[in-house]
Amino acid sequence: MPTTMPVVPTTIVLLIASNVFMTFAWYAHLKNLSGRAWYVAALVSWGIALFEYLLQVPANRIGHTALTLPQLKILQEVVSLSVFVPFMLYYMRQPIKLDYLWASLCMLGAVYFMFRR
């Protein structure tokens, strides 16, 4: 008998994958297509974003079976930040700043308030 992943871990895995596509769709063109017209970057980004939506929509539908809408949203924001920071540091070669730690601590506070019972 096959076992299925619990709802929250499944949602998180799908949101992580979704956010990888989203981050590349939103920001990679700044590095890779900077010499091209904005509409070329928009079309390429739109093509990448399709894959983001193919993961994000099921993630939200699955997650909403166990999480409230505000919990689902703050989970998305934490996942988004968790994907964006490594992308920014390693792919875009941006310097790290102490402000990222403070922003992360604020996000942890938001998670606490959304998930407390």
Side-chain angles (χ1 to χ4, degrees):
M1 174 187 261
T3 60
T4 58
M5 283 182 69
V7 169
V8 174
T10 300
T11 300
I12 291 170
V13 167
L14 286 170
L15 285 176
I16 290 169
S18 167
N19 272 270
V20 168
F21 283 105
M22 179 195 73
T23 301
F24 274 88
W26 282 18
Y27 302 108
H29 65 87
L30 298 173
K31 178 179 180 180
N32 301 326
L33 299 173
S34 62
R36 308 275 262 181
W38 71 266
Y39 53 84
V40 172
L43 290 172
V44 170
S45 294
W46 182 77
I48 295 169
L50 171 64
F51 296 101
E52 185 256 333
Y53 277 96
L54 292 174
L55 295 165
Q56 176 265 334
V57 171
N60 284 332
R61 286 180 170 242
I62 292 166
H64 196 252
T65 64
L67 300 168
T68 66
L69 190 58
Q71 288 173 333
L72 197 54
K73 180 58 182 169
I74 200 63
L75 178 61
Q76 158 59 30
E77 295 301 330
V78 169
V79 167
S80 181
L81 185 62
S82 300
V83 169
F84 179 76
V85 170
F87 170 84
M88 179 197 64
L89 294 173
Y90 298 112
Y91 188 79
M92 298 297 284
R93 304 278 187 219
Q94 296 290 308
I96 193 163
K97 297 181 179 179
L98 192 56
D99 289 342
Y100 306 148
L101 172 63
W102 307 136
S104 298
L105 291 174
C106 289
M107 292 293 287
L108 286 176
V111 168
Y112 169 77
F113 286 111
M114 286 298 177
F115 283 89
R116 70 182 175 152
R117 301 262 171 192

